[in-house]
């Protein structure tokens, strides 16, 4: 059974940092790309970042380049999203996803974790 469980969300002031974690199980972690998506109220869902299997390459939305860093750990089957210099536009529910490649609609999704950035 595939499971992706996010943690690390919360309330932070603008300019602050958060580190999201994603615990993966039930599938061959090294063979899957991991992506973080977010959904803000009234906005379309967007891909924030993606890291290919084995961490070969990473992709970032223009809005988070230079502020967010995605990473993965094969030994622990964990993925992370380090978020720095947060601003209120980063508020939303953040989802960890998995699929064979980085794509618009990944196959597997976690339940999400709320990130709220206050001004």
């Amino acid at each position: 059974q595939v499971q992706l469980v996010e943690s690390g969300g919360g309330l932070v002031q603008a300019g602050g940092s958060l580190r999201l974690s994603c615990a993966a199980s039930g599938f061959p972690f090294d063979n899957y790309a991991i992506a973080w998506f977010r959904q803000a109220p009234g906005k379309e869902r967007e891909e924030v970042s993606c890291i290919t299997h084995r961490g070969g390459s990473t992709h970032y939305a223009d809005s988070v380049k230079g502020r967010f860093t995605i990473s993965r750990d094969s030994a622990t089957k964990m993925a992370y999203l380090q978020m720095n210099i947060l601003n209120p536009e980063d508020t939303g529910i953040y989802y960890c996803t998995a699929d064979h490649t980085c794509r618009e609609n990944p196959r597997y999704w976690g339940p999400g974790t709320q990130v709220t950035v206050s001004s």
Side-chain angles (χ1 to χ4, degrees):
Q1 179 182 358
V2 173
Q3 276 199 316
L4 296 164
V5 180
E6 305 93 340
S7 61
L11 174 64
V12 64
Q13 287 190 331
S17 298
L18 282 175
R19 187 194 195 204
L20 303 184
S21 299
C22 174
S25 62
F27 63 97
F29 185 75
D30 284 351
N31 294 345
Y32 278 69
I34 300 294
W36 290 90
F37 283 73
R38 68 184 177 190
Q39 177 81 61
K43 295 184 179 180
E44 290 191 0
R45 183 183 70 194
E46 67 169 333
E47 181 187 289
V48 175
S49 182
C50 186
I51 184 167
T52 57
H53 71 291
R54 296 186 174 89
S57 66
T58 57
H59 312 277
Y60 296 93
D62 288 343
S63 58
V64 306
K65 279 180 183 176
R67 300 188 298 121
F68 290 13
T69 303
I70 192 171
S71 61
R72 62 189 295 160
D73 185 334
S74 294
T76 59
K77 297 186 179 181
M78 295 287 294
Y80 303 95
L81 186 68
Q82 177 67 44
M83 306 187 295
N84 299 328
I85 317 175
L86 286 161
N87 59 63
E89 288 69 43
D90 295 316
T91 294
I93 301 174
Y94 283 69
Y95 299 92
C96 176
T97 71
D99 207 326
H100 288 292
T101 62
C102 297
R103 56 180 48 173
E104 287 186 3
N105 190 19
R107 181 175 182 181
Y108 301 118
W109 291 72
T113 185
Q114 177 70 46
V115 171
T116 303
V117 184
S118 63
S119 57

